[in-house]
Amino acid sequence: MRITVVGLGKIGLPLAVQYARKGYKVIGADINQATVDLVNSGTEPFPGEHRLQEYLKEVVSRGNFTATSDTPEAVSESDVVVVAVPLFVDEEAKPDFSAMDAAATAIGKGLTPSTLVCFETTVPIGTTRERLTPILEEQSGLRAGTDFFVVFSPERVFTGRVFADLRRYPKLVGGLDDASTERGVEFYRSVLDFDERADLNRSNGVWDMGSAEAAEFAKLAETTYRDVNIGLANQFAKHADKIGVDVYKVIEACNSQPYSHIHQPGVAVGGHCIPVYPRLYLWSDPEATIVQAARDVNLSMPTYAVDILELELGSLRGKAIAVLGVTYRGGVKEAAFSGVFPLVEILIQRGAKALVHDPMYTHSEILDFGWTPFVFGEPIDGAILQSDHDDYRLIVLEDLPGVQFLLDGRRFVATQDPRVSSIGGLLKARREYQNNR
């Protein structure tokens, strides 16, 4: 079996390496020639993926894995094509299918009879059948379900731990028809290994979802659930601030009962997934008012955080406020939909001097965002912790001379300093504000 993986990004490249490590001949196709050249030299084009460099060098040296920028040619030589190109979205998470359409066009030009095409990019429900497959048919002159086969099988991994997650989570597969699903299930069983999971109701492995739409739905539903749950936690946190209750004690108590799984509140919901996929779900179900309400609550949290800071410090005009953390989560150098963007914008709107720090970004990289870098030891009036980097856990306020209040947006800092508090965590300003009303 010969496999082409289209898109050698943070998901596609580890997938290609995984298949090659199972002994198959794999071609990685990418439009970025620099990425192709690095991969062919056995060098990972991006840092941070556990064991990727080691495994990549291994499969390239064995001759199991090569890369190319000629997607049609690679596809023409393959029995299976796995597609992991990005679905871009705008600031409101409206999908831009240009990259996926281009990939489908290139694949269609090289498609040969009996090939299995597996789409892994998270998409709105119906995209595989109604948008991508017609492009394959038009470009190839072949008919899906008769001449070639199509499945949707969502990636369910976190960057930084892709190889471990491939083993841990069931692989969901749904085809355009029974024959496609059967081929997809057979393929993924051959290229993946799975850990035993006593917590699952059935064996871990490749799960037949019955249709592409069901597999698309499952990926959007599992991520939308997280967004809705966080939205609920944020609502609880706001109310806890008003009445002077520690919401974290409340959540801990609730989750001691097996039917409660309340997530943690926080200053922002960022990343490629949680802020985006609920919007993709709403694309096909615009009447999902619960989903929309949760998204609105989560989008409001940066404003709420600055409101808290302003209640504690008074007017922010002319005051120096540090935002600690560019990344959307700790330990991952990725800023997609990070809370740092609205936080800085809102602080500037309130007249504050916004400063930004992140241990994973250099000063020049922070300047490239258009922000003023913050250096520990510089005097400031207040701070908001936005990313839960390990470097921030042991912050002491002596490192922030002049700081009057640090809002711990992730309930992460290991200090009992009364000048530090978190959203939903018995905020002094909120209690005083309520008492003065």
Side-chain angles (χ1 to χ4, degrees):
M1 181 170 61
R2 297 159 300 177
I3 306 166
T4 287
V5 176
V6 180
L8 297 180
K10 293 186 177 181
I11 302 299
L13 181 56
L15 289 180
V17 170
Q18 166 69 25
Y19 307 154
R21 292 189 76 233
K22 292 290 287 186
Y24 297 103
K25 293 291 185 181
V26 181
I27 303 172
D30 199 280
I31 60 173
N32 188 322
Q33 187 61 48
T35 296
V36 169
D37 294 341
L38 283 170
V39 169
N40 281 330
S41 71
T43 304
E44 61 179 357
F46 48 83
E49 186 58 55
H50 183 57
R51 307 202 75 172
L52 177 59
Q53 178 57 56
E54 171 193 350
Y55 292 162
L56 174 62
K57 186 175 181 180
E58 169 192 314
V59 296
V60 169
S61 63
R62 284 207 320 246
N64 281 33
F65 182 39
T66 59
T68 180
S69 57
D70 191 340
T71 298
E73 178 65 22
V75 170
S76 71
E77 300 174 2
S78 299
D79 305 296
V80 179
V81 180
V82 176
V83 188
V85 299
L87 173 64
F88 295 110
V89 295
D90 63 17
E91 292 182 357
E92 297 181 353
K94 182 179 179 181
D96 173 0
F97 292 98
S98 58
M100 294 206 71
D101 289 350
T105 298
I107 293 165
K109 289 178 179 178
L111 201 59
T112 56
S114 299
T115 302
L116 169 67
V117 181
C118 308
F119 289 101
E120 294 221 1
T121 308
T122 305
V123 293
I125 299 167
T127 299
T128 303
R129 188 183 303 274
E130 298 168 10
R131 185 183 190 100
L132 300 175
T133 300
I135 295 175
L136 297 178
E137 292 179 323
E138 179 182 359
Q139 294 297 320
S140 67
L142 303 174
R143 184 177 177 185
T146 301
D147 302 316
F148 67 96
F149 306 92
V150 180
V151 300
F152 180 78
S153 181
E155 55 85 5
R156 306 178 74 202
V157 296
F158 268 34
T159 55
R161 64 182 203 202
V162 171
F163 295 109
D165 284 352
L166 285 172
R167 299 181 60 94
R168 177 162 177 76
Y169 303 128
K171 187 61 173 162
L172 313 181
V173 179
L176 297 188
D177 50 66
D178 292 342
S180 293
T181 300
E182 182 179 346
R183 298 258 184 140
V185 168
E186 180 182 0
F187 164 68
Y188 282 111
R189 282 178 177 164
S190 72
V191 295
L192 298 176
D193 299 301
F194 296 92
D195 297 329
E196 291 187 12
R197 291 273 304 275
D199 59 313
L200 298 177
N201 293 328
R202 54 172 160 149
S203 297
N204 194 7
V206 182
W207 289 9
D208 178 355
M209 296 299 294
S211 70
E213 287 77 12
E216 291 168 336
F217 198 160
K219 178 56 188 286
L220 294 180
E222 69 185 18
T223 312
T224 299
Y225 160 78
R226 293 173 62 197
D227 195 48
V228 171
N229 195 318
I230 294 168
L232 181 63
N234 281 330
Q235 290 260 256
F236 289 158
K238 288 182 174 183
H239 189 61
D241 284 340
K242 289 181 180 179
I243 65 175
V245 169
D246 186 343
V247 77
Y248 296 91
K249 289 184 178 180
V250 172
I251 292 173
E252 180 184 26
C254 293
N255 290 351
S256 66
Q257 196 257 26
Y259 303 107
S260 179
H261 309 282
I262 304 171
H263 292 356
Q264 298 292 297
V267 67
V269 176
H272 294 284
C273 302
I274 303 180
V276 175
Y277 297 161
R279 296 290 194 191
L280 300 187
Y281 176 78
L282 286 164
W283 186 264
S284 63
D285 185 10
E287 296 180 358
T289 54
I290 293 174
V291 176
Q292 183 63 62
R295 196 81 289 277
D296 291 343
V297 169
N298 291 337
L299 285 171
S300 77
M301 296 309 291
T303 298
Y304 182 72
V306 176
D307 286 346
I308 289 171
L309 201 66
E310 199 164 43
L311 286 167
E312 186 71 29
L313 301 180
S315 172
L316 299 180
R317 186 162 299 280
K319 292 181 178 174
I321 307 297
V323 179
L324 305 180
V326 170
T327 69
Y328 74 86
R329 66 180 171 98
V332 175
K333 192 176 180 179
E334 177 58 66
F337 290 90
S338 170
V340 68
F341 297 102
L343 284 171
V344 170
E345 181 180 355
I346 297 162
L347 286 169
I348 292 173
Q349 289 173 354
R350 305 279 177 95
K353 179 184 178 183
L355 309 168
V356 177
H357 177 274
D358 192 293
M360 303 191 77
Y361 287 81
T362 65
H363 280 201
S364 62
E365 287 174 323
I366 290 174
L367 286 168
D368 287 342
F369 281 108
W371 303 323
T372 303
F374 170 69
V375 178
F376 277 86
E378 293 180 355
I380 54 173
D381 299 290
I384 300 174
L385 185 134
Q386 198 283 135
S387 305
D388 51 346
H389 292 305
D390 287 341
D391 292 36
Y392 293 153
R393 183 173 291 281
L394 299 180
I395 282 179
V396 292
L397 267 60
E398 286 70 24
D399 296 329
L400 307 170
V403 71
Q404 301 172 48
F405 184 65
L406 167 62
L407 177 64
D408 181 358
R410 303 294 178 184
R411 180 88 168 200
F412 187 71
V413 178
T415 179
Q416 299 299 315
D417 192 302
R419 292 171 293 174
V420 179
S421 196
S422 53
I423 295 170
L426 292 172
L427 285 160
K428 178 174 178 288
R430 278 293 170 186
R431 294 199 307 273
E432 290 182 351
Y433 176 67
Q434 185 68 17
N435 291 337
N436 292 332
R437 291 185 62 184

